[in-house]
Amino acid sequence: MNYPQFPKDCKSLLCKYLTPEVFEALKDKRTSNGFTLEQAINSGVQNIDSGIGVYAGDKESYTVFAPLFDPIIEEYHGFTKEDSHKSNLNPDDLNAPNPDPEGEFILSTRIRVGRNMDNMPLGPAITKRQRDEVEARVVQGLKMLEGELAGNYYPLLGMSKEVQESLIKDHFLFKEGDRFLDAAGLNRDWPAGRGIYHNNDKTFLVWVNEEDQLRIISMQQGGDIKEVFTRLVNAIKSIETKVPFSYSYHLGYITSCPTNLGTAMRASVHIALPNLAKDMDAFEAITDKYHLQIRGIHGEHSESEGGVYDISNRRRLGITEVEAVQDMYDGVVALIEAEKALR
Ligand code: ADP
Ligand code: DAR
């Protein structure tokens, strides 16, 4: 493998931190799953518009390729190799009365965590047999859930295009893997081993074998963020008694993309801010202040529609789950105040 020739305008953290020295030190290394540097960086090499550009093939990647992952993690999360992650999944510690009880602004709330099975490679390095085993193990655990979490699993293999497209349009199902995931090796054998579990109300869902092996999701209409978080915590605690999660004291919950490490949590609202949308400088001043990320309403790499935005916490590692949701909540309160002032 030769040192990749990045274009001058490449802005990814991969371009910034894969120096010739780091490349020489890592180019012949591989993890016990045979995962190589070339595989770890392929997404950022093929997609020079990446923000990050690297994916881990297993938990070991974060150690074997630490000279590349550590500075990327430090810059993205403000988290050094001496830091250790702390978790807090207690909804009582969240100060979040519904910020929009009249339903004037918030259309819906969704909080998700990524999880991967312990002692299994991550998506970029997993074999088809292993991925099918993950699907079987996870689904076996999900089918034991009771009460509000009881539901059914729907494999993507054999799902009609109409059902699939309807679930995606209604924001329940993941899109077919994008070019970033494709170049990371996360779409191999698609759609085998992938699927979605959900309860009847579609307020509790689990994606199986998309970017991570589990995406555990709680969502509902309106702005009762605390109720959504409480349902998610109950689900996480129920599932982890059946499926062992990959975790480290340093990095928290292990995920394929380093941006999701730690809590692996993204807490979001779909919120109508038509007036703020006319003044993106003011809008982004608030989202920067509260460590928020702005996405379009069909997920990552999509656009807003009709002044509705997906607003979520940007920080995931080095803060607890309660702090991640509090980040989003406090920012949403500030955005609503600013929107009201512009009326
Ligand atoms: P992730 O949150 O898993 O990183 P995306 O950002 O791609 O993934 O979003 C996945 C899906 O979840 C998309 O269809 C998106 O529209 C939907 N979604 C995200 N946040 C909300 C929300 N607050 N309300 C309704 N749907 C949401
Ligand atoms: N394409 C990757 C995405 C990074 C964060 N989003 C994830 N993991 N879905 C990039 O480097 O831009």
Side-chain angles (χ1 to χ4, degrees), residues 308-319:
V308 178
Y309 292 85
D310 170 327
I311 299 295
S312 62
N313 61 294
R314 185 178 182 280
R315 301 190 298 180
R316 308 215 202 302
L317 170 62
I319 61 170

Side-chain angles (χ1 to χ4, degrees), residues 21-34:
E21 297 72 25
V22 167
F23 176 77
E24 280 308 312
L26 299 180
K27 67 183 173 59
D28 299 322
K29 288 189 182 289
R30 56 183 57 222
T31 69
S32 55
N33 291 299

Side-chain angles (χ1 to χ4, degrees), residues 20-159:
E21 297 72 25
V22 167
F23 176 77
E24 280 308 312
L26 299 180
K27 67 183 173 59
D28 299 322
K29 288 189 182 289
R30 56 183 57 222
T31 69
S32 55
N33 291 299
F35 191 70
T36 64
L37 176 71
E38 186 168 19
Q39 289 173 283
I41 68 172
N42 192 54
S43 186
V45 169
Q46 301 300 329
N47 300 284
I48 53 139
D49 56 338
S50 293
I52 312 299
V54 297
Y55 288 85
D58 42 31
K59 182 177 179 179
E60 205 183 322
S61 296
Y62 288 107
T63 309
V64 171
F65 305 115
L68 175 60
F69 276 102
D70 282 354
I72 288 174
I73 289 166
E74 181 160 357
E75 173 155 343
Y76 185 87
H77 293 286
F79 187 86
T80 70
K81 51 181 179 241
E82 289 74 39
D83 291 326
S84 61
H85 180 70
K86 303 263 180 310
S87 190
N88 178 6
L89 281 159
N90 182 356
D92 295 343
D93 293 344
L94 180 66
N95 174 22
N98 189 335
D100 179 25
E102 305 303 316
E104 296 177 77
F105 305 96
I106 300 176
L107 285 73
S108 51
T109 299
R110 173 182 182 270
I111 308 178
R112 65 83 168 155
V113 292
R115 292 288 186 272
N116 289 280
M117 266 185 69
D118 205 6
N119 301 317
M120 269 286 180
L122 297 167
I126 204 166
T127 65
K128 183 180 184 305
R129 183 187 57 75
Q130 290 169 320
R131 188 189 305 109
D132 290 347
E133 183 186 338
V134 166
E135 181 189 34
R137 291 274 306 275
V138 168
V139 171
Q140 182 188 27
L142 293 174
K143 286 188 169 171
M144 295 158 74
L145 296 176
E146 298 172 341
E148 181 186 26
L149 304 180
N152 294 296
Y153 177 68
Y154 306 90
L156 225 55
L157 208 53
M159 185 184 284

Side-chain angles (χ1 to χ4, degrees), residues 43 49-55 180 211 257 259-260 295 300-301:
S43 186
D49 56 338
S50 293
I52 312 299
V54 297
Y55 288 85
F180 302 97
E211 180 177 334
C257 178
T259 63
N260 280 314
R295 291 187 181 185
E300 193 169 26
H301 311 309

Side-chain angles (χ1 to χ4, degrees), residues 225-242:
I225 293 164
K226 188 153 193 169
E227 185 172 74
V228 174
F229 184 55
T230 303
R231 181 188 302 116
L232 179 68
V233 169
N234 293 339
I236 291 168
K237 290 187 185 305
S238 301
I239 297 170
E240 71 184 355
T241 64
K242 301 168 175 64

